[in-house]
Amino acid sequence: EEWFPKQYNKTVLLLVDALRYDFLFRNETLAKVMEAENFDTPPINSRYQNHLTEILDKLDHEKQKSAAFTLIVDPPTLTNVRLAAISTGNFPPTLEFRNGFSARYVLEDNILAELKRFGRKIIFCGDYTWGDMYRDSFYEYYPTDSNTVSDLHSVDKIVQDTLFPSRMKQPNWDIIVGHPAGIDHIGHMHGPEYEFMGPKLDQMNQMIKIITDNLDDDSILIIFGDHGMDPTGNHGGGTFLETRSAFFAYSPNGLAFSSTYPVFSKLQNSGHLAQNFTFSPFSAQRDAFHQIDLVPTLATLQGVPIPHNNVGTLAPETFPKTPLASDALILTAKTLLLNAAQLLRYVEVVDTASEFLSQKSVDRYHSHFASLKSRF
């Protein structure tokens, strides 16, 4: 049975390892300088900026079908730790940092377990770490050895050859997950300014074009990173460049809201939220959200329950286009109500178990939820 209606028939997730935010977004100044000047030696940042032209073209020319945001990542910025966070929607404990290079099986409620429980068929190819953590969740699983950081190309080639477009064109799947690692390997070996970074991003751009060219109308592509990288190409800490990744969504049928659409302001104006109800992630137009927000977002798009420990907030900018704008706002309000109910249950469990929260805080959560619920 459906817990909530699926919003897309199929979902393609491309986790580009170490996709730092400035690898994706256009540098207009650099573009103009490069066009106006002839360089014997191109600017350093031209090696890693303005290469993902398939994304940039979609954002320029298919604005109602695409959206992009900076993705705020919580430290520690280790791949295993980030995978745990983007499956549970919560912040891994300090112990996870100690185990950052040795993945453990995730026992907590997580999005992959919920997807499997509701019959979603997940196809995975890429970093073998996913198998260590979620080995029972996949319908098909094609692991690659990503430990050899000096190998800049094998993982990416296997991901593309296995999934895009060959497996995409076949039936019998709901979600395809690809996890290429070449950008991360170049960073570790040589840093982001290395001459091979541009060609590697060009390779990723070609993979993205293959996906978008073969994406069914009733589908969505979501591209995101697990972390960024510092100026030396490493990660694990909490510096700005390590904790800023990128997010891109594209659907051929169109998205309900553009990246600059003030969703929550519209909800308040339409009467679906109390005028005095504030919710900072959507209180104005935004250009960023948190990585853990991927969990309730994917759960909602695929029509499965949000994992119990989630503390993220869904991103309605990924919702499909509806015949009427008001339909999308109503869908957003209803799904946010489900998200709020899940968060309230989590708060109640945490408070019962630890008495960490004050009674005033718990009462405030209940009051906010009652305000939301009264609108329906």
Side-chain angles (χ1 to χ4, degrees), residues 151-203:
D151 183 348
L152 308 182
H153 305 296
S154 294
V155 175
D156 301 354
K157 185 177 187 305
I158 293 171
V159 169
Q160 180 163 327
D161 291 347
T162 303
L163 300 179
F164 311 122
S166 58
R167 189 60 182 90
M168 277 186 70
K169 291 183 174 181
Q170 299 174 27
N172 213 23
W173 63 274
D174 297 288
I175 302 166
I176 282 181
V177 182
H179 186 166
I183 292 173
D184 180 71
H185 288 188
I186 290 176
H188 283 300
M189 290 297 296
H190 306 287
E193 299 172 358
Y194 186 53
E195 59 183 333
F196 284 176
M197 186 61 85
K200 172 55 64 177
L201 286 162
D202 292 337
Q203 181 186 357

Side-chain angles (χ1 to χ4, degrees), residues 23-306:
F23 293 0
L24 186 149
F25 292 102
R26 186 189 304 279
N27 184 330
E28 295 288 359
T29 301
L30 174 63
K32 291 176 182 177
V33 171
M34 292 288 286
E35 184 178 350
E37 303 288 343
N38 291 318
F39 289 97
D40 294 329
T41 303
I44 287 294
N45 57 349
S46 69
R47 294 178 179 171
Y48 59 79
Q49 290 192 298
N50 296 1
H51 284 270
L52 298 179
T53 55
E54 180 67 12
I55 291 178
L56 299 176
D57 287 346
K58 298 292 186 192
L59 292 171
D60 286 342
H61 304 298
E62 298 185 58
K63 296 180 186 296
Q64 294 304 315
K65 298 180 179 181
S66 55
F69 299 91
T70 299
L71 204 58
I72 302 171
V73 179
D74 300 295
T77 50
L78 298 168
T79 295
N80 296 350
V81 180
R82 301 320 315 149
L83 288 182
I86 61 179
S87 67
T88 63
N90 209 314
F91 310 100
T94 305
L95 180 62
E96 292 295 327
F97 181 82
R98 295 169 55 192
N99 295 334
F101 296 99
S102 56
R104 67 170 181 86
Y105 186 72
V106 176
L107 296 173
E108 298 92 337
D109 187 20
N110 63 82
I111 184 61
L112 292 168
E114 292 293 349
L115 289 167
K116 182 182 179 182
R117 185 164 71 93
F118 277 75
R120 306 296 187 261
K121 294 177 179 177
I122 308 172
I123 314 296
F124 175 84
C125 182
D127 189 330
Y128 72 93
T129 304
W130 289 71
D132 293 343
M133 301 176 74
Y134 315 108
R135 57 181 172 268
D136 299 326
S137 298
F138 301 113
Y139 182 68
E140 294 176 21
Y141 174 61
Y142 306 102
T144 61
D145 183 0
S146 58
N147 279 335
T148 307
V149 294
S150 58
D151 183 348
L152 308 182
H153 305 296
S154 294
V155 175
D156 301 354
K157 185 177 187 305
I158 293 171
V159 169
Q160 180 163 327
D161 291 347
T162 303
L163 300 179
F164 311 122
S166 58
R167 189 60 182 90
M168 277 186 70
K169 291 183 174 181
Q170 299 174 27
N172 213 23
W173 63 274
D174 297 288
I175 302 166
I176 282 181
V177 182
H179 186 166
I183 292 173
D184 180 71
H185 288 188
I186 290 176
H188 283 300
M189 290 297 296
H190 306 287
E193 299 172 358
Y194 186 53
E195 59 183 333
F196 284 176
M197 186 61 85
K200 172 55 64 177
L201 286 162
D202 292 337
Q203 181 186 357
M204 288 296 101
N205 189 63
Q206 181 60 28
M207 186 185 299
I208 293 165
K209 179 169 174 45
I210 290 172
I211 297 172
T212 57
D213 286 349
N214 289 276
L215 202 62
D216 292 340
D217 287 345
D218 188 17
S219 301
I220 187 171
L221 165 65
I222 293 177
I223 300 171
F224 63 99
D226 50 349
H227 51 73
M229 64 174 69
D230 67 19
T232 68
N234 292 311
H235 58 89
T239 66
F240 182 86
L241 291 177
E242 291 172 279
T243 59
R244 293 301 184 275
S245 186
F247 173 94
F248 172 76
Y250 173 79
S251 179
N253 271 351
L255 300 175
F257 310 108
S258 68
S259 299
T260 57
Y261 190 89
V263 180
F264 244 73
S265 297
K266 294 292 185 181
L267 280 172
Q268 288 177 323
N269 292 338
S270 66
H272 290 297
L273 288 181
Q275 292 297 318
N276 61 353
F277 185 87
T278 58
F279 198 27
S280 58
F282 299 100
S283 58
Q285 295 178 354
R286 62 173 181 163
D287 57 8
F289 61 85
H290 287 269
Q291 190 183 57
I292 57 173
D293 295 342
L294 291 169
V295 173
T297 299
L298 183 58
T300 303
L301 297 183
Q302 276 290 319
V304 301
I306 299 171

Side-chain angles (χ1 to χ4, degrees), residues 332-351:
T332 300
K334 287 181 176 179
T335 52
L336 284 168
L337 180 63
L338 292 172
N339 196 172
Q342 172 267 316
L343 287 167
L344 180 60
R345 287 196 301 271
Y346 177 71
V347 167
E348 290 173 337
V349 170
V350 169
D351 183 57

